[in-house]
Amino acid sequence: MSDKPWGGRFREKTAGEVEDFTCSLHFDRRLYRQDIAGSMAHARMLAKQGILSQSEAAAIIQGLAEIRQEIESGEFVFDPAMEDIHMAIEARLSAKIGDLGGKLHTARSRNDQVALDVRLYLAEEVEGLLEDLIELRRSAARLARRYFGLIMPGYTHLQRAQPVLFTHHMLAYDEMWRRDMSRLQESLPRIKVSPLGAAALAGTTFPIDPHVTAAELGFADVFRNSLDAVSDRDFILEFLAHAALIMVHLSRLAEELILWSSSEFGFVEIADAYATGSSIMPQKKNPDVAELIRGKTGRVAGHLMGLLMTLKGLPLTYNRDLQEDKEPLFDAVDTVRSSVQLMAGMLEGLKLKPERLNAALHGGYLSATDMADYLVNQGLPFRTAHEQVGRLVGYAEFQGKELWELSLEEIQRFASQAGPDIFDWLKIDNVVARRTSPGGTAPARVEEALKKVEKELGL
Ligand code: ARG
């Protein structure tokens, strides 16, 4: 009765709404290249093992190559009555080469097939994302180089804290992206494990060699347990976690760019090409790209949570629930890759406003810690020095003056140990230059750090 490839035991046709509900073709058609590559490797292996004849395998491979061509030229008709891309391609193969097409599925199931396709897809995308991250780091490093020497307030609690080099601030993001890259790289060997040969769940009665297909597909590793091979989606969860974290890093920078481009901060100007206007307020230039990156972070984190919930409590082995892995994965890949690319473009064209950054160095008593350190060098316990400088800052604030605008006599009223060299000591440039501790913001340290990064990035 049924016209389905699996319809042998069915006496009624599938209900239309069931076809709609179960169909994944509209999203998994994106896997066509991987599906065809996997099938070609499978056919070659079947021939090598004497399960198919060489000429049968050759005809199958030829048919698959033509189908790939049909899909790429837009000729291929994606019939929603086909459940998924695997069925659509197999049906087309049989239409082209007759019964022989049906031999391709020997010693294979869609369960190991779909797991393989997603692994092939993700391995490629992770490699692409690694390149995107390199480009982003290059843009950030070029920006850091362009504005080397520029000092800005460093913040804690979003309150001005101590002066730092802008370059030092940018290199903090580089650290995050380096860790992101190392996590992705470490995940690759776990993605590149071929599940092909697990068949439906228990292995197969045919004398297959999973190492042949794996090697052909460029995977160094092969599954060890057939039940795990068809039901494991850890590699997707891992990727979603890494993607969510990359988005969190981008989102923190996006938030800073949004703040910094406000008139209140006015630290940066985002290039026109990366900003948008308002349909009503003619004066507006909005940082929408940064806002969308920040917003999309929620989406990617949501995909991680969603798939965790999908997998929780699934009995072994394959369950149709697993079809729900693809849309979140595809969306996370698209979102994280475009966000990384757009952030790179935005940094490339970012302009800083040195006068505004300079102005922000005033009024926040950014050298107060250094004044306390000065007193410590005179032999005071740090806590006593802290207390004295705190009172001095209170006084200066009341007078509407910077610390260095007070007279020595006024300063000594709070800190009797202060000498005439205190004025030079409190200069912002000196405050920054003194932070020569490892990983600190002194220009000499930051120059070393930036050089290291530039070298890593081939700049
Ligand atoms: N389209 C399905 C998926 O994405 C694969 C089909 C396996 N279906 C099945 N009934 N065994 O997971």
PDB file of all heavy atoms in Angstrom, residues 300-323:
ATOM      1  N   VAL A 300      21.937  31.223  20.808  1.00  0.00           N
ATOM      2  CA  VAL A 300      22.887  30.102  20.763  1.00  0.00           C
ATOM      3  C   VAL A 300      22.912  29.379  22.118  1.00  0.00           C
ATOM      4  O   VAL A 300      22.913  28.148  22.176  1.00  0.00           O
ATOM      5  CB  VAL A 300      24.289  30.583  20.339  1.00  0.00           C
ATOM      6  CG1 VAL A 300      25.281  29.440  20.374  1.00  0.00           C
ATOM      7  CG2 VAL A 300      24.219  31.185  18.934  1.00  0.00           C
ATOM      8  N   ALA A 301      22.901  30.150  23.203  1.00  0.00           N
ATOM      9  CA  ALA A 301      22.851  29.521  24.527  1.00  0.00           C
ATOM     10  C   ALA A 301      21.570  28.699  24.645  1.00  0.00           C
ATOM     11  O   ALA A 301      21.564  27.606  25.223  1.00  0.00           O
ATOM     12  CB  ALA A 301      22.928  30.589  25.614  1.00  0.00           C
ATOM     13  N   GLY A 302      20.486  29.201  24.078  1.00  0.00           N
ATOM     14  CA  GLY A 302      19.218  28.474  24.095  1.00  0.00           C
ATOM     15  C   GLY A 302      19.302  27.152  23.352  1.00  0.00           C
ATOM     16  O   GLY A 302      18.743  26.145  23.789  1.00  0.00           O
ATOM     17  N   HIS A 303      20.027  27.140  22.233  1.00  0.00           N
ATOM     18  CA  HIS A 303      20.175  25.888  21.481  1.00  0.00           C
ATOM     19  C   HIS A 303      20.901  24.846  22.320  1.00  0.00           C
ATOM     20  O   HIS A 303      20.579  23.651  22.270  1.00  0.00           O
ATOM     21  CB  HIS A 303      20.951  26.130  20.188  1.00  0.00           C
ATOM     22  CG  HIS A 303      20.179  26.933  19.177  1.00  0.00           C
ATOM     23  ND1 HIS A 303      18.818  26.818  19.010  1.00  0.00           N
ATOM     24  CD2 HIS A 303      20.584  27.860  18.275  1.00  0.00           C
ATOM     25  CE1 HIS A 303      18.418  27.640  18.053  1.00  0.00           C
ATOM     26  NE2 HIS A 303      19.482  28.289  17.592  1.00  0.00           N
ATOM     27  N   LEU A 304      21.899  25.286  23.077  1.00  0.00           N
ATOM     28  CA  LEU A 304      22.613  24.340  23.953  1.00  0.00           C
ATOM     29  C   LEU A 304      21.642  23.757  24.975  1.00  0.00           C
ATOM     30  O   LEU A 304      21.584  22.534  25.150  1.00  0.00           O
ATOM     31  CB  LEU A 304      23.778  25.062  24.651  1.00  0.00           C
ATOM     32  CG  LEU A 304      24.454  24.294  25.787  1.00  0.00           C
ATOM     33  CD1 LEU A 304      25.103  23.004  25.276  1.00  0.00           C
ATOM     34  CD2 LEU A 304      25.510  25.163  26.490  1.00  0.00           C
ATOM     35  N   MET A 305      20.882  24.607  25.618  1.00  0.00           N
ATOM     36  CA  MET A 305      19.915  24.128  26.616  1.00  0.00           C
ATOM     37  C   MET A 305      18.890  23.204  25.968  1.00  0.00           C
ATOM     38  O   MET A 305      18.520  22.178  26.515  1.00  0.00           O
ATOM     39  CB  MET A 305      19.181  25.308  27.273  1.00  0.00           C
ATOM     40  CG  MET A 305      20.050  26.148  28.154  1.00  0.00           C
ATOM     41  SD  MET A 305      20.905  25.141  29.380  1.00  0.00           S
ATOM     42  CE  MET A 305      22.556  25.688  29.141  1.00  0.00           C
ATOM     43  N   GLY A 306      18.421  23.607  24.788  1.00  0.00           N
ATOM     44  CA  GLY A 306      17.408  22.822  24.094  1.00  0.00           C
ATOM     45  C   GLY A 306      17.882  21.411  23.806  1.00  0.00           C
ATOM     46  O   GLY A 306      17.179  20.428  24.093  1.00  0.00           O
ATOM     47  N   LEU A 307      19.095  21.299  23.259  1.00  0.00           N
ATOM     48  CA  LEU A 307      19.571  19.953  22.899  1.00  0.00           C
ATOM     49  C   LEU A 307      19.896  19.135  24.153  1.00  0.00           C
ATOM     50  O   LEU A 307      19.691  17.917  24.167  1.00  0.00           O
ATOM     51  CB  LEU A 307      20.771  20.029  21.947  1.00  0.00           C
ATOM     52  CG  LEU A 307      21.162  18.668  21.370  1.00  0.00           C
ATOM     53  CD1 LEU A 307      20.042  18.066  20.511  1.00  0.00           C
ATOM     54  CD2 LEU A 307      22.442  18.740  20.539  1.00  0.00           C
ATOM     55  N   LEU A 308      20.381  19.790  25.187  1.00  0.00           N
ATOM     56  CA  LEU A 308      20.593  19.059  26.450  1.00  0.00           C
ATOM     57  C   LEU A 308      19.279  18.409  26.887  1.00  0.00           C
ATOM     58  O   LEU A 308      19.249  17.240  27.293  1.00  0.00           O
ATOM     59  CB  LEU A 308      21.086  20.016  27.549  1.00  0.00           C
ATOM     60  CG  LEU A 308      22.577  20.347  27.568  1.00  0.00           C
ATOM     61  CD1 LEU A 308      22.845  21.522  28.512  1.00  0.00           C
ATOM     62  CD2 LEU A 308      23.412  19.149  27.993  1.00  0.00           C
ATOM     63  N   MET A 309      18.202  19.170  26.797  1.00  0.00           N
ATOM     64  CA  MET A 309      16.893  18.641  27.204  1.00  0.00           C
ATOM     65  C   MET A 309      16.419  17.534  26.266  1.00  0.00           C
ATOM     66  O   MET A 309      15.812  16.571  26.694  1.00  0.00           O
ATOM     67  CB  MET A 309      15.847  19.764  27.247  1.00  0.00           C
ATOM     68  CG  MET A 309      16.062  20.792  28.330  1.00  0.00           C
ATOM     69  SD  MET A 309      16.204  20.072  29.973  1.00  0.00           S
ATOM     70  CE  MET A 309      17.973  20.167  30.215  1.00  0.00           C
ATOM     71  N   THR A 310      16.701  17.701  24.975  1.00  0.00           N
ATOM     72  CA  THR A 310      16.287  16.662  24.025  1.00  0.00           C
ATOM     73  C   THR A 310      16.973  15.336  24.334  1.00  0.00           C
ATOM     74  O   THR A 310      16.367  14.270  24.238  1.00  0.00           O
ATOM     75  CB  THR A 310      16.644  17.110  22.586  1.00  0.00           C
ATOM     76  OG1 THR A 310      15.957  18.324  22.313  1.00  0.00           O
ATOM     77  CG2 THR A 310      16.257  16.071  21.562  1.00  0.00           C
ATOM     78  N   LEU A 311      18.227  15.408  24.712  1.00  0.00           N
ATOM     79  CA  LEU A 311      19.003  14.172  24.905  1.00  0.00           C
ATOM     80  C   LEU A 311      18.767  13.537  26.269  1.00  0.00           C
ATOM     81  O   LEU A 311      18.907  12.322  26.430  1.00  0.00           O
ATOM     82  CB  LEU A 311      20.499  14.458  24.732  1.00  0.00           C
ATOM     83  CG  LEU A 311      20.923  14.881  23.330  1.00  0.00           C
ATOM     84  CD1 LEU A 311      22.419  15.128  23.280  1.00  0.00           C
ATOM     85  CD2 LEU A 311      20.540  13.827  22.291  1.00  0.00           C
ATOM     86  N   LYS A 312      18.394  14.374  27.208  1.00  0.00           N
ATOM     87  CA  LYS A 312      18.206  13.884  28.580  1.00  0.00           C
ATOM     88  C   LYS A 312      17.124  12.799  28.587  1.00  0.00           C
ATOM     89  O   LYS A 312      16.045  12.985  28.090  1.00  0.00           O
ATOM     90  CB  LYS A 312      17.765  15.066  29.432  1.00  0.00           C
ATOM     91  CG  LYS A 312      17.115  14.688  30.701  1.00  0.00           C
ATOM     92  CD  LYS A 312      16.503  15.911  31.352  1.00  0.00           C
ATOM     93  CE  LYS A 312      15.795  15.499  32.613  1.00  0.00           C
ATOM     94  NZ  LYS A 312      14.703  14.549  32.379  1.00  0.00           N
ATOM     95  N   GLY A 313      17.447  11.660  29.155  1.00  0.00           N
ATOM     96  CA  GLY A 313      16.432  10.620  29.302  1.00  0.00           C
ATOM     97  C   GLY A 313      16.151   9.828  28.041  1.00  0.00           C
ATOM     98  O   GLY A 313      15.237   9.018  28.030  1.00  0.00           O
ATOM     99  N   LEU A 314      16.921  10.033  26.950  1.00  0.00           N
ATOM    100  CA  LEU A 314      16.691   9.205  25.749  1.00  0.00           C
ATOM    101  C   LEU A 314      17.267   7.818  25.979  1.00  0.00           C
ATOM    102  O   LEU A 314      18.450   7.680  26.284  1.00  0.00           O
ATOM    103  CB  LEU A 314      17.392   9.801  24.526  1.00  0.00           C
ATOM    104  CG  LEU A 314      16.696  10.866  23.714  1.00  0.00           C
ATOM    105  CD1 LEU A 314      17.444  11.034  22.388  1.00  0.00           C
ATOM    106  CD2 LEU A 314      15.250  10.502  23.453  1.00  0.00           C
ATOM    107  N   PRO A 315      16.444   6.803  25.814  1.00  0.00           N
ATOM    108  CA  PRO A 315      16.991   5.442  25.937  1.00  0.00           C
ATOM    109  C   PRO A 315      17.874   5.143  24.732  1.00  0.00           C
ATOM    110  O   PRO A 315      17.686   5.729  23.672  1.00  0.00           O
ATOM    111  CB  PRO A 315      15.744   4.565  25.925  1.00  0.00           C
ATOM    112  CG  PRO A 315      14.740   5.364  25.167  1.00  0.00           C
ATOM    113  CD  PRO A 315      15.030   6.814  25.449  1.00  0.00           C
ATOM    114  N   LEU A 316      18.806   4.241  24.885  1.00  0.00           N
ATOM    115  CA  LEU A 316      19.589   3.815  23.725  1.00  0.00           C
ATOM    116  C   LEU A 316      18.642   3.087  22.782  1.00  0.00           C
ATOM    117  O   LEU A 316      17.721   2.433  23.234  1.00  0.00           O
ATOM    118  CB  LEU A 316      20.718   2.883  24.153  1.00  0.00           C
ATOM    119  CG  LEU A 316      21.797   3.488  25.082  1.00  0.00           C
ATOM    120  CD1 LEU A 316      22.901   2.443  25.332  1.00  0.00           C
ATOM    121  CD2 LEU A 316      22.407   4.745  24.485  1.00  0.00           C
ATOM    122  N   THR A 317      18.794   3.118  21.492  1.00  0.00           N
ATOM    123  CA  THR A 317      19.872   3.809  20.819  1.00  0.00           C
ATOM    124  C   THR A 317      19.280   4.969  20.021  1.00  0.00           C
ATOM    125  O   THR A 317      18.981   6.000  20.609  1.00  0.00           O
ATOM    126  CB  THR A 317      20.661   2.893  19.855  1.00  0.00           C
ATOM    127  OG1 THR A 317      19.732   2.282  18.947  1.00  0.00           O
ATOM    128  CG2 THR A 317      21.397   1.826  20.634  1.00  0.00           C
ATOM    129  N   TYR A 318      19.078   4.766  18.713  1.00  0.00           N
ATOM    130  CA  TYR A 318      18.494   5.861  17.930  1.00  0.00           C
ATOM    131  C   TYR A 318      17.029   6.054  18.308  1.00  0.00           C
ATOM    132  O   TYR A 318      16.270   5.092  18.458  1.00  0.00           O
ATOM    133  CB  TYR A 318      18.592   5.579  16.417  1.00  0.00           C
ATOM    134  CG  TYR A 318      17.989   6.714  15.600  1.00  0.00           C
ATOM    135  CD1 TYR A 318      18.752   7.824  15.259  1.00  0.00           C
ATOM    136  CD2 TYR A 318      16.645   6.696  15.235  1.00  0.00           C
ATOM    137  CE1 TYR A 318      18.196   8.890  14.561  1.00  0.00           C
ATOM    138  CE2 TYR A 318      16.075   7.761  14.541  1.00  0.00           C
ATOM    139  CZ  TYR A 318      16.863   8.849  14.206  1.00  0.00           C
ATOM    140  OH  TYR A 318      16.304   9.913  13.531  1.00  0.00           O
ATOM    141  N   ASN A 319      16.631   7.283  18.477  1.00  0.00           N
ATOM    142  CA  ASN A 319      15.225   7.665  18.617  1.00  0.00           C
ATOM    143  C   ASN A 319      15.009   8.840  17.692  1.00  0.00           C
ATOM    144  O   ASN A 319      15.930   9.632  17.460  1.00  0.00           O
ATOM    145  CB  ASN A 319      14.924   8.113  20.051  1.00  0.00           C
ATOM    146  CG  ASN A 319      15.212   7.009  21.059  1.00  0.00           C
ATOM    147  OD1 ASN A 319      14.372   6.171  21.363  1.00  0.00           O
ATOM    148  ND2 ASN A 319      16.434   6.994  21.579  1.00  0.00           N
ATOM    149  N   ARG A 320      13.789   8.982  17.206  1.00  0.00           N
ATOM    150  CA  ARG A 320      13.546  10.047  16.225  1.00  0.00           C
ATOM    151  C   ARG A 320      13.779  11.430  16.834  1.00  0.00           C
ATOM    152  O   ARG A 320      13.993  12.401  16.109  1.00  0.00           O
ATOM    153  CB  ARG A 320      12.129   9.913  15.654  1.00  0.00           C
ATOM    154  CG  ARG A 320      11.865  10.781  14.429  1.00  0.00           C
ATOM    155  CD  ARG A 320      12.761  10.388  13.239  1.00  0.00           C
ATOM    156  NE  ARG A 320      12.459  11.162  12.058  1.00  0.00           N
ATOM    157  CZ  ARG A 320      11.632  10.772  11.087  1.00  0.00           C
ATOM    158  NH1 ARG A 320      11.061   9.570  11.151  1.00  0.00           N
ATOM    159  NH2 ARG A 320      11.396  11.531  10.057  1.00  0.00           N
ATOM    160  N   ASP A 321      13.721  11.492  18.165  1.00  0.00           N
ATOM    161  CA  ASP A 321      14.050  12.759  18.831  1.00  0.00           C
ATOM    162  C   ASP A 321      15.364  13.335  18.295  1.00  0.00           C
ATOM    163  O   ASP A 321      15.562  14.554  18.275  1.00  0.00           O
ATOM    164  CB  ASP A 321      14.258  12.570  20.342  1.00  0.00           C
ATOM    165  CG  ASP A 321      13.194  11.734  21.012  1.00  0.00           C
ATOM    166  OD1 ASP A 321      12.835  10.668  20.461  1.00  0.00           O
ATOM    167  OD2 ASP A 321      12.754  12.130  22.104  1.00  0.00           O
ATOM    168  N   LEU A 322      16.260  12.426  17.904  1.00  0.00           N
ATOM    169  CA  LEU A 322      17.604  12.867  17.503  1.00  0.00           C
ATOM    170  C   LEU A 322      17.578  13.721  16.245  1.00  0.00           C
ATOM    171  O   LEU A 322      18.530  14.448  15.963  1.00  0.00           O
ATOM    172  CB  LEU A 322      18.531  11.664  17.325  1.00  0.00           C
ATOM    173  CG  LEU A 322      18.867  10.937  18.641  1.00  0.00           C
ATOM    174  CD1 LEU A 322      19.688   9.685  18.365  1.00  0.00           C
ATOM    175  CD2 LEU A 322      19.633  11.855  19.599  1.00  0.00           C
ATOM    176  N   GLN A 323      16.488  13.654  15.494  1.00  0.00           N
ATOM    177  CA  GLN A 323      16.360  14.522  14.330  1.00  0.00           C
ATOM    178  C   GLN A 323      16.321  15.994  14.766  1.00  0.00           C
ATOM    179  O   GLN A 323      16.598  16.886  13.967  1.00  0.00           O
ATOM    180  CB  GLN A 323      15.082  14.149  13.572  1.00  0.00           C
ATOM    181  CG  GLN A 323      14.861  14.914  12.300  1.00  0.00           C
ATOM    182  CD  GLN A 323      13.748  14.296  11.481  1.00  0.00           C
ATOM    183  OE1 GLN A 323      13.882  13.193  10.955  1.00  0.00           O
ATOM    184  NE2 GLN A 323      12.625  14.994  11.388  1.00  0.00           N
TER     185      GLN A 323
END
